Amino acid sequence: MEQSNSNAGDGQGIRRRSCGCTKEDFLPEESFKSWGNYTKALKATPARLLDRLMARSAEHTELVEMKAQSQHEMKKSLTWWDLMWFGVGAVIGAGIFVLTGLETRRHAGPAVVLSYIISGVSAMLSVFCYTEFAIEIPAAGGSFAYLRVELGDFVAFVAAGNILLEYVIGGAAVARSWTSYFATLCNHQPNDFRIHVSVFAENYNRLDPIAVVLSIVICGFAVASTKASSRLNYVASILHITVIVFIIIAGLTKANPKNLTPFAPFGPRGIFVASAVLFFSYVGFDAVSTLAEETKNPSRDIPIGLVASMVIITLAYCILAATLCLMQPYQKIDEDAPFAMAFEAVGWGWAKYIVALGAIKGMTTVLLVSAVGQARYLTHIARTHMVSPWFAKVNERTGTPVNATASMLAATALIAFFTPLEIISNLLSISTLFIFMLVAVALIVRRYYVSGETTSSNRNKLIIYLFLIMGSSTATAIYWATSDEWIGFAVTAPIWFLSTLALWISVPQAKKPLVWGVPLVPWVPSISIAINFFLLGSIDAASFERFAIWTGILLVYYFLLGLHASYDTAMESKIQAAEESNSSV
């Protein structure tokens, strides 16, 4: 676990290229200069992989050298107010309006409120972990940058690839849903505004031009100005919150407490299964951490913005779910348009238009914040050359990553145009829970291990206790997924507890947060690890198969391209740092 000191000072010596579309723009590294070089690079794959597995990026590298790869800096224009509304806009969208009805009827019943609370607690624990990192490493890469610093390049790349998949597919699903709700608002059927092309394959023949136009408009706002995007976002979010307040107040006037009986018709398993799926409804807040590089005062603004937005979101979700269950018996709740149909069932059919308007507002802000966040993830990945550095360019005039934003939204629009995606919430939840678990692990490593300071004994104890925490959490999740008994928890839960206790008592913390830190370390990140694994155990096997396929594709790309490009860049940085050190002597 050696710390890599591949710093390049103020970024001098970094090759600067104008935006173009030549091979040099996309594959400028030494390994790709010729087929001979590439063949040598492939033969050196094992040694290079070991180097990338062991080397951990320095914080200074992420904050100084990586920024230099973008040629121009992003503008610091955001405050805690902007971040709070970015958080609200990133999260409150299609999930609450679509998944609530589905999970209430199939898995949780009125206990869906508890499912939202469980997902909210898991998300809040992850918010704490993200906040400490975002304050001390305010880089556009978000979790990718944090994992590079603490767990190395390879883990960071696999995590980042899954985050980008989540953004693209989730954005496409939301764009398609936007069209459906817009059709409802215009008193049409969902497919009325889609073009049916019979010669195309089934499930790919409903073309959605509105989703494409929406993606282009969102792209325009996202590349024009982060501050302008923020203003649009919180205006739309305020309107969205107003609609939510209307739904709650109007719905509660039609409340019938008898509809809450039976409260948990599917038992505890149904509650947790619903919680794992409903975690999709909280996906998106991690995009706020990618804005740390553009925040005026990260140490103050990030904790306030992230925590405040998550409190607002969790309260809104729980109250909305309770309102829905009070309006209708869970057996009668519509799976596709639960709130609209609930109002129609109680004789307020006109209210479905207000619900549709609220859904459209929510999905618009989700798409906007998603566009901003995913572009910054891709920008920072490109800064390391794991993907082409062409995506890392920041426009001098707008101070935004235009190439990354346009490319990600083009992928989103392409999928949304052809594919009638339902919200594949299980696959998206796997990606997110996986990332959140890794960030919690990285926080423990950050607090307990510092290269050159932590003794070998304490390092070995840290590795053992982390292995036991993750192993017992995995065993608990597998047992939950495969058995209806409870006896196994009497073994796995004590192992998790005693491992966390031993880490807390016997290993001294090697690093204290400079400004703000997660309280009760290692307990908070350890609980986050356990909950994330437990929720993963509630997701179906088919989703894990899709997750494995995508991860396999990422690994093929990494071994063929990403590994060699990032290795060359790291070696170049080391050489430059050595030359600068020699010249200063």
Side-chain angles (χ1 to χ4, degrees), residues 473-538:
S473 299
T474 303
T476 300
I478 293 174
Y479 188 76
W480 167 254
T482 58
S483 175
D484 291 326
E485 302 295 329
W486 294 87
I487 188 65
F489 300 138
V491 177
T492 59
I495 292 176
W496 169 84
F497 177 81
L498 293 174
S499 301
T500 307
L501 181 65
L503 177 59
W504 186 41
I505 293 174
S506 66
V507 182
Q509 290 193 28
K511 180 184 292 184
K512 298 290 184 181
L514 299 176
V515 180
W516 184 93
V518 176
L520 298 175
V521 173
W523 292 102
V524 168
S526 183
I527 292 171
S528 180
I529 292 169
I531 292 179
N532 288 334
F533 269 116
F534 193 78
L535 292 177
L536 284 169
S538 299

Side-chain angles (χ1 to χ4, degrees), residues 244-538:
I244 288 176
V245 170
F246 164 79
I247 293 172
I248 292 170
I249 294 175
L252 289 178
T253 63
K254 298 293 183 178
N256 183 356
K258 292 181 180 179
N259 291 334
L260 296 180
T261 305
F263 183 68
F266 303 96
R269 183 172 296 276
I271 294 173
F272 282 102
V273 169
S275 181
V277 175
L278 291 172
F279 197 84
F280 173 82
S281 300
Y282 289 95
V283 169
F285 80 81
D286 54 316
V288 179
S289 69
T290 68
L291 299 174
E293 195 173 309
E294 297 160 85
T295 301
K296 292 180 178 179
N297 187 350
S299 61
R300 180 198 66 188
D301 296 336
I302 291 173
I304 297 174
L306 273 173
V307 174
S309 63
M310 189 52 62
V311 169
I312 292 171
I313 291 159
T314 304
L315 287 174
Y317 280 176
C318 292
I319 297 173
L320 277 169
T323 301
L324 178 64
C325 293
L326 284 166
M327 291 179 69
Q328 273 190 300
Y330 80 91
Q331 304 95 326
K332 296 183 179 180
I333 291 174
D334 187 83
E335 293 183 358
D336 298 316
F339 290 95
M341 294 301 102
F343 277 109
E344 191 161 337
V346 298
W348 285 14
W350 55 269
K352 72 178 182 181
Y353 300 107
I354 298 179
V355 173
L357 179 63
I360 285 175
K361 292 290 186 185
M363 286 185 281
T364 301
T365 57
V366 166
L367 285 169
L368 178 60
V369 180
S370 173
V372 171
Q374 69 190 12
R376 279 139 188 84
Y377 266 113
L378 182 58
T379 295
H380 204 76
I381 297 170
R383 287 169 172 174
T384 69
H385 287 226
M386 288 187 191
V387 297
S388 169
W390 182 82
F391 295 107
K393 308 300 182 185
V394 172
N395 184 272
E396 182 177 11
R397 182 179 63 83
T398 65
T400 58
V402 174
N403 294 353
T405 305
S407 299
M408 291 298 293
L409 282 171
T412 299
L414 183 65
I415 295 174
F417 184 57
F418 287 102
T419 312
L421 293 172
E422 297 177 357
I423 299 178
I424 46 178
S425 51
N426 282 2
L427 178 58
L428 299 182
S429 292
I430 288 177
S431 296
T432 306
L433 289 166
F434 175 67
I435 305 305
F436 291 174
M437 179 274 295
L438 287 178
V439 171
V441 171
L443 181 66
I444 293 177
V445 172
R446 179 176 182 81
R447 289 290 194 93
Y448 285 93
Y449 180 83
V450 174
S451 179
E453 297 182 19
T454 303
T455 65
S456 297
S457 173
N458 286 332
R459 180 198 62 195
N460 293 338
K461 285 191 286 186
L462 170 63
I463 293 173
I464 291 170
Y465 294 144
L466 263 179
F467 177 81
L468 289 172
I469 289 170
M470 296 178 67
S472 60
S473 299
T474 303
T476 300
I478 293 174
Y479 188 76
W480 167 254
T482 58
S483 175
D484 291 326
E485 302 295 329
W486 294 87
I487 188 65
F489 300 138
V491 177
T492 59
I495 292 176
W496 169 84
F497 177 81
L498 293 174
S499 301
T500 307
L501 181 65
L503 177 59
W504 186 41
I505 293 174
S506 66
V507 182
Q509 290 193 28
K511 180 184 292 184
K512 298 290 184 181
L514 299 176
V515 180
W516 184 93
V518 176
L520 298 175
V521 173
W523 292 102
V524 168
S526 183
I527 292 171
S528 180
I529 292 169
I531 292 179
N532 288 334
F533 269 116
F534 193 78
L535 292 177
L536 284 169
S538 299

